[in-house]
PDB file of all heavy atoms in Angstrom:
ATOM      1  N   ARG S  69     150.077 181.542 260.153  1.00 97.00           N
ATOM      2  CA  ARG S  69     148.610 181.448 260.100  1.00 97.00           C
ATOM      3  C   ARG S  69     148.027 182.077 258.833  1.00 97.00           C
ATOM      4  O   ARG S  69     146.811 182.030 258.625  1.00 97.00           O
ATOM      5  CB  ARG S  69     148.010 182.140 261.329  1.00 97.00           C
ATOM      6  CG  ARG S  69     148.355 181.487 262.661  1.00 97.00           C
ATOM      7  CD  ARG S  69     147.615 182.130 263.830  1.00 97.00           C
ATOM      8  NE  ARG S  69     147.989 183.535 264.022  1.00 97.00           N
ATOM      9  CZ  ARG S  69     147.155 184.559 263.818  1.00 97.00           C
ATOM     10  NH1 ARG S  69     145.897 184.357 263.429  1.00 97.00           N
ATOM     11  NH2 ARG S  69     147.566 185.800 264.035  1.00 97.00           N
ATOM     12  N   PHE S  70     148.862 182.658 258.018  1.00 97.00           N
ATOM     13  CA  PHE S  70     148.399 183.387 256.839  1.00 97.00           C
ATOM     14  C   PHE S  70     148.681 182.598 255.554  1.00 97.00           C
ATOM     15  O   PHE S  70     149.752 182.022 255.392  1.00 97.00           O
ATOM     16  CB  PHE S  70     149.089 184.753 256.744  1.00 97.00           C
ATOM     17  CG  PHE S  70     148.814 185.652 257.920  1.00 97.00           C
ATOM     18  CD1 PHE S  70     149.676 185.686 259.004  1.00 97.00           C
ATOM     19  CD2 PHE S  70     147.684 186.457 257.943  1.00 97.00           C
ATOM     20  CE1 PHE S  70     149.428 186.511 260.092  1.00 97.00           C
ATOM     21  CE2 PHE S  70     147.422 187.285 259.022  1.00 97.00           C
ATOM     22  CZ  PHE S  70     148.303 187.305 260.102  1.00 97.00           C
ATOM     23  N   THR S  71     147.691 182.593 254.649  1.00 96.00           N
ATOM     24  CA  THR S  71     147.849 182.008 253.329  1.00 96.00           C
ATOM     25  C   THR S  71     147.342 182.999 252.309  1.00 96.00           C
ATOM     26  O   THR S  71     146.207 183.475 252.414  1.00 96.00           O
ATOM     27  CB  THR S  71     147.067 180.687 253.188  1.00 96.00           C
ATOM     28  OG1 THR S  71     147.550 179.741 254.138  1.00 96.00           O
ATOM     29  CG2 THR S  71     147.229 180.129 251.783  1.00 96.00           C
ATOM     30  N   ALA S  72     148.193 183.322 251.338  1.00 96.00           N
ATOM     31  CA  ALA S  72     147.790 184.193 250.233  1.00 96.00           C
ATOM     32  C   ALA S  72     147.546 183.326 249.010  1.00 96.00           C
ATOM     33  O   ALA S  72     148.305 182.410 248.729  1.00 96.00           O
ATOM     34  CB  ALA S  72     148.871 185.226 249.950  1.00 96.00           C
ATOM     35  N   GLN S  73     146.475 183.638 248.309  1.00 95.00           N
ATOM     36  CA  GLN S  73     146.096 182.864 247.129  1.00 95.00           C
ATOM     37  C   GLN S  73     145.859 183.810 245.975  1.00 95.00           C
ATOM     38  O   GLN S  73     145.200 184.847 246.129  1.00 95.00           O
ATOM     39  CB  GLN S  73     144.823 182.073 247.452  1.00 95.00           C
ATOM     40  CG  GLN S  73     144.399 181.068 246.412  1.00 95.00           C
ATOM     41  CD  GLN S  73     143.185 180.283 246.902  1.00 95.00           C
ATOM     42  OE1 GLN S  73     142.057 180.751 246.846  1.00 95.00           O
ATOM     43  NE2 GLN S  73     143.446 179.087 247.412  1.00 95.00           N
ATOM     44  N   VAL S  74     146.393 183.468 244.818  1.00 94.00           N
ATOM     45  CA  VAL S  74     146.241 184.297 243.624  1.00 94.00           C
ATOM     46  C   VAL S  74     145.679 183.444 242.495  1.00 94.00           C
ATOM     47  O   VAL S  74     146.183 182.347 242.236  1.00 94.00           O
ATOM     48  CB  VAL S  74     147.597 184.893 243.183  1.00 94.00           C
ATOM     49  CG1 VAL S  74     147.448 185.644 241.861  1.00 94.00           C
ATOM     50  CG2 VAL S  74     148.149 185.822 244.255  1.00 94.00           C
ATOM     51  N   ASP S  75     144.671 183.943 241.834  1.00 92.00           N
ATOM     52  CA  ASP S  75     144.121 183.309 240.636  1.00 92.00           C
ATOM     53  C   ASP S  75     144.144 184.361 239.532  1.00 92.00           C
ATOM     54  O   ASP S  75     143.222 185.170 239.412  1.00 92.00           O
ATOM     55  CB  ASP S  75     142.700 182.805 240.895  1.00 92.00           C
ATOM     56  CG  ASP S  75     142.107 182.095 239.684  1.00 92.00           C
ATOM     57  OD1 ASP S  75     142.691 182.201 238.587  1.00 92.00           O
ATOM     58  OD2 ASP S  75     141.068 181.448 239.835  1.00 92.00           O
ATOM     59  N   LYS S  76     145.189 184.346 238.727  1.00 90.00           N
ATOM     60  CA  LYS S  76     145.349 185.382 237.698  1.00 90.00           C
ATOM     61  C   LYS S  76     144.302 185.245 236.606  1.00 90.00           C
ATOM     62  O   LYS S  76     143.911 186.233 235.993  1.00 90.00           O
ATOM     63  CB  LYS S  76     146.755 185.337 237.105  1.00 90.00           C
ATOM     64  CG  LYS S  76     147.829 185.876 238.043  1.00 90.00           C
ATOM     65  CD  LYS S  76     149.162 185.992 237.316  1.00 90.00           C
ATOM     66  CE  LYS S  76     150.204 186.668 238.171  1.00 90.00           C
ATOM     67  NZ  LYS S  76     151.481 186.827 237.478  1.00 90.00           N
ATOM     68  N   SER S  77     143.856 184.029 236.352  1.00 90.00           N
ATOM     69  CA  SER S  77     142.873 183.850 235.278  1.00 90.00           C
ATOM     70  C   SER S  77     141.546 184.517 235.643  1.00 90.00           C
ATOM     71  O   SER S  77     140.843 185.029 234.775  1.00 90.00           O
ATOM     72  CB  SER S  77     142.659 182.361 234.986  1.00 90.00           C
ATOM     73  OG  SER S  77     142.139 181.705 236.129  1.00 90.00           O
ATOM     74  N   SER S  78     141.228 184.526 236.926  1.00 92.00           N
ATOM     75  CA  SER S  78     139.987 185.166 237.387  1.00 92.00           C
ATOM     76  C   SER S  78     140.225 186.569 237.920  1.00 92.00           C
ATOM     77  O   SER S  78     139.274 187.263 238.301  1.00 92.00           O
ATOM     78  CB  SER S  78     139.333 184.331 238.492  1.00 92.00           C
ATOM     79  OG  SER S  78     139.061 183.039 238.063  1.00 92.00           O
ATOM     80  N   LYS S  79     141.488 186.984 238.009  1.00 92.00           N
ATOM     81  CA  LYS S  79     141.863 188.279 238.581  1.00 92.00           C
ATOM     82  C   LYS S  79     141.297 188.398 239.990  1.00 92.00           C
ATOM     83  O   LYS S  79     140.598 189.359 240.348  1.00 92.00           O
ATOM     84  CB  LYS S  79     141.392 189.431 237.696  1.00 92.00           C
ATOM     85  CG  LYS S  79     141.969 189.426 236.287  1.00 92.00           C
ATOM     86  CD  LYS S  79     141.622 190.714 235.554  1.00 92.00           C
ATOM     87  CE  LYS S  79     142.168 190.734 234.148  1.00 92.00           C
ATOM     88  NZ  LYS S  79     141.506 189.763 233.270  1.00 92.00           N
ATOM     89  N   TYR S  80     141.640 187.417 240.801  1.00 94.00           N
ATOM     90  CA  TYR S  80     141.048 187.306 242.132  1.00 94.00           C
ATOM     91  C   TYR S  80     142.152 186.902 243.093  1.00 94.00           C
ATOM     92  O   TYR S  80     142.895 185.955 242.826  1.00 94.00           O
ATOM     93  CB  TYR S  80     139.964 186.224 242.089  1.00 94.00           C
ATOM     94  CG  TYR S  80     139.074 186.145 243.291  1.00 94.00           C
ATOM     95  CD1 TYR S  80     137.934 186.935 243.386  1.00 94.00           C
ATOM     96  CD2 TYR S  80     139.345 185.240 244.320  1.00 94.00           C
ATOM     97  CE1 TYR S  80     137.093 186.837 244.477  1.00 94.00           C
ATOM     98  CE2 TYR S  80     138.508 185.148 245.414  1.00 94.00           C
ATOM     99  CZ  TYR S  80     137.378 185.931 245.490  1.00 94.00           C
ATOM    100  OH  TYR S  80     136.541 185.847 246.577  1.00 94.00           O
ATOM    101  N   ILE S  81     142.282 187.648 244.203  1.00 95.00           N
ATOM    102  CA  ILE S  81     143.281 187.292 245.202  1.00 95.00           C
ATOM    103  C   ILE S  81     142.610 187.203 246.563  1.00 95.00           C
ATOM    104  O   ILE S  81     141.620 187.896 246.828  1.00 95.00           O
ATOM    105  CB  ILE S  81     144.465 188.289 245.228  1.00 95.00           C
ATOM    106  CG1 ILE S  81     144.005 189.693 245.632  1.00 95.00           C
ATOM    107  CG2 ILE S  81     145.148 188.344 243.865  1.00 95.00           C
ATOM    108  CD1 ILE S  81     145.163 190.652 245.833  1.00 95.00           C
ATOM    109  N   SER S  82     143.170 186.346 247.402  1.00 96.00           N
ATOM    110  CA  SER S  82     142.589 186.102 248.719  1.00 96.00           C
ATOM    111  C   SER S  82     143.681 186.036 249.769  1.00 96.00           C
ATOM    112  O   SER S  82     144.825 185.669 249.474  1.00 96.00           O
ATOM    113  CB  SER S  82     141.819 184.777 248.733  1.00 96.00           C
ATOM    114  OG  SER S  82     140.778 184.777 247.795  1.00 96.00           O
ATOM    115  N   LEU S  83     143.296 186.368 250.987  1.00 97.00           N
ATOM    116  CA  LEU S  83     144.137 186.171 252.166  1.00 97.00           C
ATOM    117  C   LEU S  83     143.307 185.408 253.176  1.00 97.00           C
ATOM    118  O   LEU S  83     142.200 185.836 253.531  1.00 97.00           O
ATOM    119  CB  LEU S  83     144.592 187.503 252.765  1.00 97.00           C
ATOM    120  CG  LEU S  83     145.439 187.393 254.032  1.00 97.00           C
ATOM    121  CD1 LEU S  83     146.826 186.835 253.687  1.00 97.00           C
ATOM    122  CD2 LEU S  83     145.572 188.741 254.726  1.00 97.00           C
ATOM    123  N   PHE S  84     143.840 184.263 253.622  1.00 97.00           N
ATOM    124  CA  PHE S  84     143.178 183.471 254.645  1.00 97.00           C
ATOM    125  C   PHE S  84     143.957 183.584 255.940  1.00 97.00           C
ATOM    126  O   PHE S  84     145.190 183.524 255.946  1.00 97.00           O
ATOM    127  CB  PHE S  84     143.096 182.001 254.221  1.00 97.00           C
ATOM    128  CG  PHE S  84     142.308 181.788 252.959  1.00 97.00           C
ATOM    129  CD1 PHE S  84     142.955 181.691 251.739  1.00 97.00           C
ATOM    130  CD2 PHE S  84     140.931 181.698 252.991  1.00 97.00           C
ATOM    131  CE1 PHE S  84     142.237 181.511 250.563  1.00 97.00           C
ATOM    132  CE2 PHE S  84     140.196 181.510 251.825  1.00 97.00           C
ATOM    133  CZ  PHE S  84     140.860 181.421 250.611  1.00 97.00           C
TER     134      PHE S  84
END
Side-chain angles (χ1 to χ4, degrees):
Chain S
R69 296 186 297 113
F70 299 93
T71 299
Q73 188 176 80
V74 175
D75 182 347
K76 287 188 174 182
S77 62
S78 302
K79 300 189 181 68
Y80 191 87
I81 63 173
S82 300
L83 178 71
F84 299 96

